Amino acid sequence: MQEHSYRLDRPKPRAQAVADALRDLVKEQRLVPGDRLPTEAELVDMLGVGRSSVREGVQMLQSLGIVEVEHGRGMFLAPVIGSGLRAVVNWAYVSADKDQLIYDLLEARTVVEPMQARLAAERATDAELQQLASFGDSDGHLPPQELSLSEAEVIGLDYHEFIARIAHNDILLIMSNAVRPLFISLVEELDRPTDEFTTLLKHHSGITEAVAARDGAEAERAMREHLEDNRRAVDRWIGRRDGGKPRRAKRPNPVS
């Protein structure tokens, strides 16, 4: 990637200049909602300004709802789906309705993510394929007992986010970043044994191999199969909670 200087050299208010520089950084690095931004110290160094100027610019972006600062975690581009929507879902949907929402979300992912895998196989750079290969050390070779459920979930989210990123379609990336965290929030109350979740991560290797071979059709098929495995896992989790086979809500028949 070509080196870019974000240092401020325009005669405008400091807060606006910092915000403009951050916009340039977001555009060049292809950051999307939910992505982490540089720390305050890193921004001071990158922009060549004092901490007070950086804070003014960040506060301006916070007031516009563009940036979120989470104490202890860092600064992020505001996610498409934030805590507000999750709170509404938790309030408005009873358990059975949430179950159907999970299946609806998996259906939506099945529409989008296989195409992302195909595009990743066709468009990823050699450097991105090298990065993709490094996920294998985390998702396929660690024994289940060495991963907690939360660690496995993070690995899964990171892997799918990276596949979406190297597909080089920013709208599809934004859509995917929006729905995956919602999926995690919807299933968090279900009984999800860590070993079952870790088994799902092992299926990433087939997707990785197809993308690395630049075989778009196989990458699409492998991702679709992986998402079907996710659906079967959800069946088990809901069935375990209900003591039997899960009952899915029926969709209305089309009007003839």
Side-chain angles (χ1 to χ4, degrees):
M1 181 182 294
Q2 183 179 0
E3 291 242 355
H4 181 90
S5 173
Y6 302 102
R7 301 179 80 84
L8 310 186
D9 58 0
R10 286 165 286 187
K12 60 177 64 175
R14 290 182 302 178
Q16 185 62 56
V18 168
D20 289 350
L22 275 173
R23 181 186 59 203
D24 293 342
L25 180 149
V26 166
K27 181 178 180 181
E28 181 173 310
Q29 297 190 7
R30 294 184 58 238
L31 303 182
V32 298
D35 280 349
R36 186 187 299 273
L37 293 169
T39 65
E40 182 179 284
E42 289 170 336
L43 288 174
V44 167
D45 183 60
M46 292 170 64
L47 305 180
V49 296
R51 286 182 179 271
S52 61
S53 297
V54 168
R55 287 173 183 164
E56 286 178 24
V58 168
Q59 287 170 0
M60 185 180 79
L61 293 174
Q62 279 185 278
S63 69
L64 295 172
I66 295 171
V67 165
E68 289 185 359
V69 177
E70 299 183 23
H71 295 292
R73 292 193 65 226
M75 183 164 59
F76 301 82
L77 279 181
V80 174
I81 291 183
S83 58
L85 179 56
R86 289 194 290 271
V88 170
V89 167
N90 289 333
W91 172 77
Y93 287 81
V94 297
S95 180
D97 293 331
K98 283 186 181 179
D99 292 349
Q100 185 57 52
L101 208 57
I102 294 170
Y103 288 114
D104 286 350
L105 214 164
L106 278 169
E107 186 175 70
R109 289 182 62 184
T110 302
V111 171
V112 173
E113 295 192 40
M115 177 55 67
Q116 285 179 321
R118 174 184 283 272
L119 292 176
E122 296 171 353
R123 297 177 177 177
T125 66
D126 290 342
E128 288 169 340
L129 292 181
Q130 289 181 343
Q131 287 181 266
L132 180 64
S134 69
F135 278 91
D137 295 332
S138 299
D139 64 27
H141 305 297
L142 285 178
Q145 62 268 25
E146 292 188 17
L147 283 176
S148 68
L149 180 61
S150 60
E151 288 171 334
E153 286 178 339
V154 168
I155 289 170
L157 287 171
D158 285 349
Y159 179 84
H160 284 267
E161 189 274 340
F162 191 71
I163 290 288
R165 188 170 297 279
I166 64 177
H168 292 275
N169 182 308
D170 287 351
I171 295 299
L172 289 179
L173 175 59
I174 291 169
M175 291 168 60
S176 295
N177 280 4
V179 299
R180 279 190 293 268
L182 181 59
F183 174 74
I184 293 296
S185 72
L186 286 170
V187 301
E188 63 187 359
E189 296 178 4
L190 299 178
D191 180 9
R192 297 163 291 146
T194 303
D195 59 341
E196 287 188 21
F197 206 95
T198 311
T199 298
L200 291 174
L201 299 183
K202 293 179 180 179
H203 299 161
H204 289 170
S205 60
I207 303 168
T208 296
E209 289 174 6
V211 173
R214 300 197 179 280
D215 186 339
E218 176 58 21
E220 182 176 353
R221 187 207 63 78
M223 180 64 81
R224 192 176 305 279
E225 182 179 283
H226 174 54
L227 293 172
E228 281 297 309
D229 290 333
N230 272 264
R231 184 192 56 76
R232 286 189 285 270
V234 167
D235 286 344
R236 292 193 299 272
W237 299 340
I238 293 176
R240 189 177 293 118
R241 181 200 63 196
D242 294 345
K245 186 176 180 180
R247 298 182 298 275
R248 300 190 207 176
K250 292 183 179 180
R251 292 300 184 198
N253 292 325
V255 178
S256 58

